[in-house]
């Protein structure tokens, strides 16, 4: 029995460490990459397929928006098309994206945080025209959540360590009292 008592804190420690399993652990560090945290809207018409990508958060007064255009039948990127993006909210923005590479058109839009804008893309190439309702563009406001989450995570960690130490002290006190009584 004595040989196994030293293992009690080792067995209890994972229980204390896992006590907050499933709780949020703060945000992962934000990485500024083109593919990070984007919202995607898409629609397919008779001739063209359009995908609109925009960041989760507004990036200043103008936010970059990508419009990807492909042929519906073949999914081949569409080059040289005339693309118009209309964003409708309290005001109407009629934007003309420029072609960055085959099938990828880029434009900067005024996307105010917490404002919903209906997005419609009009794609014209030769005699082919499609008007596609893409859905609602919505960007989130930047919050100071990272600092709050870090403080919350630090408090969780502190309580977890305190609980582990308290458990080890209680186990040690129990072991000493049992030993003094000659029960061990």
């Amino acid at each position: 029995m004595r040989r196994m008592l030293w293992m009690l804190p080792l067995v209890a420690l994972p229980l204390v460490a896992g006590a907050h399993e499933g709780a949020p652990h703060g945000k992962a560090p934000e990485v500024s990459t083109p593919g990070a945290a984007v919202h995607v809207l898409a629609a397919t018409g008779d001739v063209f397929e359009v995908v609109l990508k925009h960041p989760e958060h507004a990036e200043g007064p103008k936010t970059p928006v990508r419009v990807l255009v492909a042929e519906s039948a073949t999914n081949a990127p569409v080059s040289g098309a005339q693309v118009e993006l209309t964003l409708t909210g309290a005001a109407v923005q009629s934007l003309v994206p420029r072609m960055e590479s085959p099938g990828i058109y880029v434009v900067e839009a005024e996307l105010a945080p917490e404002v919903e804008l209906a997005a419609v893309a009009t794609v014209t190439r030769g005699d082919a025209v499609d008007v596609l309702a893409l859905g609602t563009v919505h960007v989130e406001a930047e919050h100071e959540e990272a600092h709050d989450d870090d403080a919350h995570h630090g408090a969780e960690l502190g309580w977890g360590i305190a609980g582990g130490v308290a458990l080890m002290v209680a186990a040690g006190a129990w072991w000493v009292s049992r030993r003094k009584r000659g029960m061990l």
Side-chain angles (χ1 to χ4, degrees), residues 35-150:
V38 295
H39 287 204
V40 178
L41 303 171
T44 303
D46 294 332
V47 181
F48 302 108
E49 179 177 80
V50 175
V51 176
L52 183 133
K53 294 184 177 186
H54 66 87
E56 184 176 276
H57 299 284
E59 297 180 359
K62 297 279 187 167
T63 301
V65 176
R66 292 186 177 282
V67 180
L68 293 87
V69 181
E71 293 179 5
S72 293
T74 64
N75 207 24
V78 174
S79 296
Q82 293 176 338
V83 179
E84 183 180 341
L85 178 64
T86 305
L87 301 175
T88 307
V92 176
Q93 297 179 56
S94 291
L95 308 167
V96 179
R98 64 175 172 73
M99 191 174 86
E100 184 178 73
S101 62
I104 301 174
Y105 298 80
V106 181
V107 69
E108 290 189 344
E110 293 177 22
L111 302 179
E114 306 302 331
V115 174
E116 292 188 357
L117 302 169
V120 175
T122 304
V123 181
T124 307
R125 185 178 66 179
D127 293 336
V129 177
D130 257 342
V131 179
L132 303 150
L134 297 166
T136 305
V137 173
H138 177 87
V139 292
E140 303 290 327
E142 290 284 344
H143 293 292
E144 295 297 322
E145 288 179 10
H147 299 296
D148 294 342
D149 287 346
D150 290 345

Side-chain angles (χ1 to χ4, degrees), residues 12-35:
L13 193 57
L15 297 174
V16 173
H20 69 282
E21 187 174 338
H25 294 277
K27 288 185 176 181
E30 291 188 25
V31 179
S32 180
T33 60

